[in-house]
């Protein structure tokens, strides 16, 4: 038992490392936030574009969402960091990671929004248009609010899943939380750093996981 | 009153049921003899269904004793699964398994509860489907059957286990009017076969024609019980008279 | 254009490294073949177990699910592979990867199966139990089959995610497909192996990704 404490909970050992750990944590938070701020609006934009039903554009969008949902995130990050330079595009590790994750999130977000748009009854469009609202206004004032409301549970679920992918940045040497705690662990030959890292990840993501649970419950039992 | 019922199949004593603060059943006493058809009537909220569902413990009694076939079933150490083999239930919502054929619906318990072989279960199931007049629909899925046909399969599913008593919880209330008759006919046939039955229903004609005894429940207690003549045709109690006048059929 | 091909689709390079890539491919499949069934079965068990009357047990089940959904799988993997040896528990790369993937995957499957179970009308359970079927048997023969059908798109989607996630095993140098491609790329200083791996991943998953989209759009439209 005290083996466990000695190896995994020796917080005093961490004293000199807290600044590094904090920095790593902040980078993780920054990357997750950027991923979501870029990915979700991009996904919404793609879904709206798809609504215009322009054949060639649609094929492109569908290829985009299929491609970026089929390739593992780590592979995309590695590609972004190692293969793009051959195109003359050299990205910082952190940029490559956020870019890859945001694009993947946008692909999943598009599908979620698209499913939402298909779920809104056709009658809603007809009602809006028949009162003289243009296509765009009907979309903005009548359809989108319903789509967004419907999409929130699956979207938050997916957003959490993908922003956890910031840890994959450690593979291309982004100094995010996992990377930092991993290095500390190998430096001092004590995995307490890993415990700290895990706890900080829990601190960051568990509230959102609990929030999605609450959301799903609230959606299933609406107070009409 | 039915004279000298040979054997009491179901005996309910002092049954009380509370849902939180609300008392749904306020002390119900009822005895049902072998081969008897007892019909329970009353307005919504009178506790008729709750009373029925306590018998196979789909609802847990708050207080009171229930005996089925002589065995007390409200005790703590009762094997519910064994108990429910002896009690058949037919639901208002029918609840056929949509992913199984009519035959599959009837054979499931025969195979997995009674432990019959596949052939033995199938033979028995086909026989009971024949009794309800649906042998030709054995391989159909519930979605392909009308509501009346589905409920008849539901009756076959319960009868196949050869229970000591059949409980019918408003079996026709959810059906379109044209489909009610075929289900009631099967229920009449069930009575003629000598099955002990407790039926909760709004079908007054059925109650008048088929019941040996009618029980009128009101606000969680039995207000009166007697022959169909005494309760439905010539009711004494003003509340019951009101109720009968308001009901059709 | 020719330059692009020699860089990214170099046949020469490919012919040298394809045995390595093939090995990696089998390893990826091997990981999936073990992790997916384990995750699914564990997930079903956890979902079914949430029926227990014990509030305490339910609390622990939900806590497990939420914690495993909140911690990034790579963190789990690093913790298992580098941290556990300090307690004398030294797992090989394959086992560590399977364990990490299963801990993470089972929590997502548990959520999906739970949603499936709860989507089956209560009357089905009552009907089954009224014929004497035990809780367990009515689950296995009546509730779970129907529930699974209801959540099939999510199940497929999650399975795809799980198999995609096998790529994180590259971080502990397990030679699955991504790692093999990285090794080959390092050997020959050419990104063709990475592109080849990406194409293989795409071919593996795209049919299922497309299928899931189809299924989800169909249910969304029929619900409307």
């Amino acid at each position: 038992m005290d083996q466990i404490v000695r190896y995994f909970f020796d917080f005093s050992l961490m004293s000199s490392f807290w600044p590094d750990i904090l920095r790593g944590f902040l980078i993780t938070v920054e990357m997750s936030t950027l991923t979501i701020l870029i990915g979700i609006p991009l996904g919404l934009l793609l879904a709206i574009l798809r609504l215009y039903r322009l054949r060639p554009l649609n094929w492109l969008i569908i290829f985009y969402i299929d491609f970026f949902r089929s390739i593992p995130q780590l592979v995309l990050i590695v590609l972004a960091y190692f293969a793009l330079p051959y195109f003359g595009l050299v990205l910082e590790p952190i940029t490559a990671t956020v870019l890859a994750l945001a694009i993947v999130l946008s692909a999943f977000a598009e599908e979620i929004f698209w499913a939402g748009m298909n779920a809104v009854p056709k009658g809603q469009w007809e009602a809006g248009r028949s009162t003289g609202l243009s296509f765009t206004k009907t979309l903005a004032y009548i359809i989108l609010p319903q789509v967004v409301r419907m999409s929130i549970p699956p979207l938050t679920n997916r957003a959490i899943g993908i922003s956890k992918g910031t840890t994959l940045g450690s593979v291309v040497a982004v100094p995010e939380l996992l990377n930092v705690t991993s290095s500390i662990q190998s430096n001092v030959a004590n995995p307490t750093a890993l415990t700290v890292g895990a706890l900080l990840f829990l601190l960051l993501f568990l509230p959102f996981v609990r929030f999605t649970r609450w959301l799903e419950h609230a959606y299933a039992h609406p107070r009409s | 009153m039915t004279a000298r019922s040979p054997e009491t199949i179901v005996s309910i004593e002092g049954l009380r049921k509370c849902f939180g603060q609300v008392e749904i059943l306020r002390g119900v006493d009822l005895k049902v003899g072998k081969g008897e058809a007892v019909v329970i009537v009353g307005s919504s909220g009178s506790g008729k269904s709750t009373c029925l569902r306590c018998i196979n413990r789909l609802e847990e009694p708050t207080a009171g004793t229930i005996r089925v076939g002589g065995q007390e079933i409200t005790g703590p150490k009762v094997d519910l699964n064994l108990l429910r083999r002896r009690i058949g239930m037919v639901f208002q919502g029918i609840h056929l398994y949509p992913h199984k054929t009519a035959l599959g619906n009837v054979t499931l318990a025969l195979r997995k509860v009674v432990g019959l072989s596949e052939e033995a279960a199938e033979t028995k199931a086909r026989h009971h489907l024949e009794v309800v007049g649906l042998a030709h629909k054995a391989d159909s899925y519930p979605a392909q059957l009308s509501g009346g046909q589905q409920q008849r399969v539901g009756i076959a599913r319960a009868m196949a286990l050869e229970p000591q008593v059949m409980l019918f919880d408003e079996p026709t209330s959810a059906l379109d009017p044209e489909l009610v008759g075929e289900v009631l006919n099967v229920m009449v046939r069930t009575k003629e076969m000598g099955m002990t039955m407790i039926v909760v229903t709004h079908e007054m004609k059925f109650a008048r024609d088929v019941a040996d005894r009618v029980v009128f429940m009101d606000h969680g207690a039995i207000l009166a019980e007697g022959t169909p003549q005494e309760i439905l045709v010539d009711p004494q109690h003003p509340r019951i008279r009101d109720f009968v006048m308001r009901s059709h059929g | 254009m020719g330059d692009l091909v020699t860089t990214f689709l170099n046949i020469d390079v490919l012919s040298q490294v394809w045995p390595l890539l093939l090995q990696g491919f089998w390893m990826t499949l091997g990981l999936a073949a073990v992790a997916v069934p384990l995750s699914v079965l564990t997930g079903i068990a956890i979902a079914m177990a949430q029926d227990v009357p014990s509030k305490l047990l339910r609390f622990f089940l939900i806590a497990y699910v939420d914690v495993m959904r909140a911690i990034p799988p790579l963190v789990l993997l690093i913790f298992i592979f580098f941290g556990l040896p300090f307690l004398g528990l030294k797992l090989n790369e394959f086992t560590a990867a399977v364990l990490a993937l299963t801990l993470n995957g089972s929590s997502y499957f548990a959520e999906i199966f739970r949603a499936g179970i709860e989507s089956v009308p209560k009357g089905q359970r009552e009907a089954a139990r009224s014929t004497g079927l035990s809780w367990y048997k009515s689950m296995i023969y009546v509730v779970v089959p129907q529930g699974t059908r209801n959540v099939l798109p999510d199940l497929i989607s999650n399975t795809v995610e799980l198999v995609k996630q096998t790529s994180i095993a590259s971080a502990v140098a397990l030679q699955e497909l991504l790692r093999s491609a990285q090794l080959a790329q390092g050997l020959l200083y050419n990104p063709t192996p990475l592109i080849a791996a990406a194409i293989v991943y795409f071919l593996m998953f795209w049919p299922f990704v497309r299928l899931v989209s189809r299924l989800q759009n169909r249910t969304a439209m029929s619900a409307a």
Side-chain angles (χ1 to χ4, degrees), chain B residues 53 81 84 96 99 112, chain C residues 124 126 128-129 137 141:
Chain B
R53 287 157 62 89
N81 300 326
R84 288 167 177 160
L96 286 190
H99 58 305
K112 302 297 177 187
Chain C
Q124 286 294 309
E126 286 191 347
R129 303 236 42 209
K137 285 187 180 160
Y141 295 114

Side-chain angles (χ1 to χ4, degrees), chain C residues 89-143:
Chain C
L89 191 59
K90 194 163 171 47
L91 298 169
N92 67 25
E93 294 90 344
F94 187 86
T95 317
V98 168
L99 184 58
L101 289 171
T102 304
L103 286 172
N104 186 57
S106 64
S107 67
Y108 280 97
F109 277 117
E111 274 304 280
I112 296 173
F113 279 115
R114 189 69 209 160
I117 287 176
E118 288 182 2
S119 72
V120 178
K122 186 162 165 262
Q124 286 294 309
R125 251 192 260 201
E126 286 191 347
R129 303 236 42 209
S130 77
T131 59
L133 282 162
S134 66
W135 168 84
Y136 179 74
K137 285 187 180 160
S138 40
M139 273 287 167
I140 298 290
Y141 295 114
V142 175
V143 180

Side-chain angles (χ1 to χ4, degrees), chain B:
Chain B
M1 270 305 170
T2 332
R4 249 164 286 277
S5 324
E7 185 194 340
T8 305
I9 297 290
V10 176
S11 146
I12 303 175
E13 287 165 28
L15 178 61
R16 308 190 101 87
K17 172 67 185 173
C18 301
F19 285 108
Q21 301 290 24
V22 186
E23 206 179 2
I24 296 289
L25 295 175
R26 301 164 191 275
V28 174
D29 299 293
L30 183 66
K31 280 189 167 51
V32 180
K34 183 166 177 157
E36 251 201 296
V38 172
V39 175
I40 306 180
V41 300
S43 18
S44 327
S46 53
K48 330 187 281 289
S49 286
T50 311
C51 180
L52 204 69
R53 287 157 62 89
C54 283
I55 298 177
N56 67 352
R57 289 190 54 183
L58 282 181
E59 303 290 353
E60 288 297 339
T62 311
T65 314
I66 301 180
R67 266 176 260 268
V68 176
Q71 184 206 351
E72 183 189 327
I73 62 127
T74 34
K77 280 274 174 193
V78 177
D79 187 339
L80 285 179
N81 300 326
L82 223 54
L83 167 70
R84 288 167 177 160
R85 284 168 60 169
R86 303 192 279 129
I87 306 176
M89 184 164 234
V90 178
F91 298 86
Q92 180 177 357
I94 309 176
H95 301 314
L96 286 190
Y97 314 131
H99 58 305
K100 293 187 176 292
T101 59
L103 189 69
N105 264 268
V106 181
T107 57
L108 180 61
L110 290 175
R111 281 179 23 244
K112 302 297 177 187
V113 173
V114 180
L116 294 184
S117 72
E118 228 182 285
E119 306 94 65
E122 199 178 304
T123 315
K124 205 173 225 182
R126 285 192 192 275
H127 165 74
H128 283 279
L129 283 173
E130 176 76 57
V131 171
V132 304
L134 287 172
H136 61 296
K137 292 280 189 186
D139 296 317
S140 299
Y141 282 90
Q144 300 166 303
L145 302 173
S146 75
Q149 291 171 325
Q150 287 183 32
Q151 189 60 297
R152 285 193 276 152
V153 175
I155 296 176
R157 178 175 64 178
M159 292 282 287
L161 291 161
E162 280 153 19
Q164 289 179 297
V165 57
M166 282 283 285
L167 308 176
F168 293 84
D169 188 0
E170 300 204 38
T172 58
S173 299
L175 296 177
D176 286 337
E178 323 88 71
L179 304 172
V180 167
E182 63 191 78
V183 176
L184 292 180
N185 287 338
V186 169
M187 288 167 69
V188 170
R189 228 185 132 180
T190 309
K191 159 94 166 95
E192 284 165 1
M193 286 168 18
M195 176 62 70
T196 312
M197 299 165 52
I198 309 179
V199 181
V200 171
T201 185
H202 295 298
E203 296 290 328
M204 292 303 143
K205 185 171 185 303
F206 175 83
R208 281 197 302 268
D209 296 341
V210 180
D212 294 309
R213 224 186 334 148
V214 174
V215 169
F216 186 88
M217 279 187 72
D218 189 48
H219 286 102
I222 296 182
L223 202 55
E225 63 179 280
T227 64
Q229 177 72 27
E230 289 166 3
I231 303 292
L232 297 175
V233 179
D234 193 15
Q236 298 302 306
H237 200 288
R239 256 246 207 39
I240 307 181
R241 227 173 320 165
D242 259 341
F243 174 81
V244 172
M245 280 202 299
R246 276 185 283 116
S247 322
H248 318 287

